[in-house]
Short mmCIF file of all heavy atoms in Angstrom, two decimals:
data_model
loop_
_atom_site.label_atom_id
_atom_site.label_comp_id
_atom_site.label_asym_id
_atom_site.label_seq_id
_atom_site.Cartn_x
_atom_site.Cartn_y
_atom_site.Cartn_z
N LEU V 58 -16.73 -4.78 -21.02
CA LEU V 58 -17.68 -5.84 -20.69
C LEU V 58 -16.91 -7.12 -20.51
O LEU V 58 -16.27 -7.60 -21.44
CB LEU V 58 -18.65 -6.06 -21.87
CG LEU V 58 -19.87 -5.18 -22.01
CD1 LEU V 58 -20.64 -5.52 -23.27
CD2 LEU V 58 -20.78 -5.32 -20.80
N ASN V 59 -16.98 -7.71 -19.31
CA ASN V 59 -16.20 -8.90 -19.12
C ASN V 59 -16.97 -9.98 -18.33
O ASN V 59 -16.40 -10.96 -17.89
CB ASN V 59 -14.86 -8.59 -18.40
CG ASN V 59 -13.85 -9.71 -18.58
OD1 ASN V 59 -13.97 -10.52 -19.51
ND2 ASN V 59 -12.87 -9.77 -17.70
N TYR V 60 -18.25 -9.74 -18.13
CA TYR V 60 -19.11 -10.77 -17.48
C TYR V 60 -20.32 -10.94 -18.37
O TYR V 60 -21.03 -9.97 -18.68
CB TYR V 60 -19.60 -10.26 -16.12
CG TYR V 60 -18.50 -10.17 -15.05
CD1 TYR V 60 -17.66 -9.07 -14.99
CD2 TYR V 60 -18.36 -11.17 -14.08
CE1 TYR V 60 -16.70 -8.95 -13.98
CE2 TYR V 60 -17.43 -11.05 -13.08
CZ TYR V 60 -16.61 -9.95 -13.05
OH TYR V 60 -15.64 -9.84 -12.05
N ARG V 61 -20.57 -12.16 -18.77
CA ARG V 61 -21.70 -12.46 -19.65
C ARG V 61 -23.02 -11.90 -19.10
O ARG V 61 -23.75 -11.23 -19.81
CB ARG V 61 -21.86 -13.99 -19.75
CG ARG V 61 -21.54 -14.56 -21.08
CD ARG V 61 -21.36 -16.07 -20.99
NE ARG V 61 -19.93 -16.39 -21.14
CZ ARG V 61 -19.28 -16.35 -22.30
NH1 ARG V 61 -19.92 -16.02 -23.40
NH2 ARG V 61 -18.00 -16.63 -22.37
N ASN V 62 -23.25 -12.09 -17.80
CA ASN V 62 -24.52 -11.66 -17.23
C ASN V 62 -24.63 -10.14 -17.11
O ASN V 62 -25.73 -9.61 -17.09
CB ASN V 62 -24.78 -12.33 -15.87
CG ASN V 62 -23.51 -12.68 -15.14
OD1 ASN V 62 -22.44 -12.18 -15.48
ND2 ASN V 62 -23.60 -13.53 -14.13
N HIS V 63 -23.49 -9.42 -17.08
CA HIS V 63 -23.54 -7.95 -17.11
C HIS V 63 -23.92 -7.47 -18.52
O HIS V 63 -24.65 -6.49 -18.67
CB HIS V 63 -22.21 -7.39 -16.67
CG HIS V 63 -22.15 -5.87 -16.71
ND1 HIS V 63 -23.11 -5.08 -16.09
CD2 HIS V 63 -21.25 -5.02 -17.30
CE1 HIS V 63 -22.76 -3.77 -16.32
NE2 HIS V 63 -21.69 -3.73 -17.04
N ALA V 64 -23.41 -8.16 -19.55
CA ALA V 64 -23.76 -7.81 -20.92
C ALA V 64 -25.27 -7.95 -21.11
O ALA V 64 -25.94 -7.10 -21.70
CB ALA V 64 -23.02 -8.71 -21.90
N GLN V 65 -25.84 -9.04 -20.54
CA GLN V 65 -27.31 -9.26 -20.64
C GLN V 65 -28.06 -8.13 -19.90
O GLN V 65 -29.05 -7.62 -20.40
CB GLN V 65 -27.68 -10.61 -20.02
CG GLN V 65 -27.30 -11.77 -20.93
CD GLN V 65 -27.18 -13.10 -20.17
OE1 GLN V 65 -27.39 -13.17 -18.97
NE2 GLN V 65 -26.76 -14.14 -20.89
N GLU V 66 -27.54 -7.76 -18.72
CA GLU V 66 -28.15 -6.70 -17.91
C GLU V 66 -28.25 -5.37 -18.72
O GLU V 66 -29.20 -4.61 -18.60
CB GLU V 66 -27.31 -6.52 -16.66
CG GLU V 66 -27.64 -5.34 -15.76
CD GLU V 66 -26.66 -5.28 -14.58
OE1 GLU V 66 -25.43 -5.11 -14.78
OE2 GLU V 66 -27.15 -5.43 -13.44
N LEU V 67 -27.23 -5.12 -19.53
CA LEU V 67 -27.20 -3.88 -20.31
C LEU V 67 -27.79 -4.08 -21.71
O LEU V 67 -27.79 -3.14 -22.50
CB LEU V 67 -25.75 -3.37 -20.45
CG LEU V 67 -25.06 -2.93 -19.15
CD1 LEU V 67 -23.61 -2.57 -19.46
CD2 LEU V 67 -25.76 -1.74 -18.53
N ASN V 68 -28.31 -5.29 -21.97
CA ASN V 68 -28.89 -5.59 -23.29
C ASN V 68 -27.86 -5.46 -24.41
O ASN V 68 -28.20 -4.93 -25.50
CB ASN V 68 -30.08 -4.65 -23.55
CG ASN V 68 -31.33 -5.49 -23.75
OD1 ASN V 68 -31.25 -6.64 -24.13
ND2 ASN V 68 -32.48 -4.85 -23.52
N LEU V 69 -26.65 -5.87 -24.18
CA LEU V 69 -25.59 -5.77 -25.18
C LEU V 69 -25.12 -7.19 -25.52
O LEU V 69 -25.14 -8.06 -24.69
CB LEU V 69 -24.41 -4.98 -24.61
CG LEU V 69 -24.67 -3.50 -24.32
CD1 LEU V 69 -23.52 -2.89 -23.50
CD2 LEU V 69 -24.87 -2.72 -25.60
N PRO V 70 -24.68 -7.37 -26.79
CA PRO V 70 -24.16 -8.69 -27.15
C PRO V 70 -22.81 -8.95 -26.47
O PRO V 70 -22.12 -8.02 -26.13
CB PRO V 70 -23.95 -8.60 -28.67
CG PRO V 70 -23.90 -7.13 -28.99
CD PRO V 70 -24.68 -6.41 -27.91
N VAL V 71 -22.53 -10.25 -26.22
CA VAL V 71 -21.25 -10.62 -25.63
C VAL V 71 -20.13 -10.30 -26.66
O VAL V 71 -20.21 -10.78 -27.79
CB VAL V 71 -21.24 -12.12 -25.26
CG1 VAL V 71 -19.83 -12.55 -24.80
CG2 VAL V 71 -22.24 -12.37 -24.15
N PRO V 72 -19.16 -9.47 -26.31
CA PRO V 72 -18.16 -9.06 -27.29
C PRO V 72 -17.17 -10.21 -27.65
O PRO V 72 -16.96 -11.10 -26.87
CB PRO V 72 -17.39 -7.95 -26.60
CG PRO V 72 -17.63 -8.16 -25.13
CD PRO V 72 -18.96 -8.86 -24.98
#
Side-chain angles (χ1 to χ4, degrees):
L58 276 177
N59 200 20
Y60 291 81
R61 249 165 252 284
N62 29 16
H63 177 54
Q65 285 158 3
E66 171 182 63
L67 294 175
N68 240 336
L69 294 168
V71 173

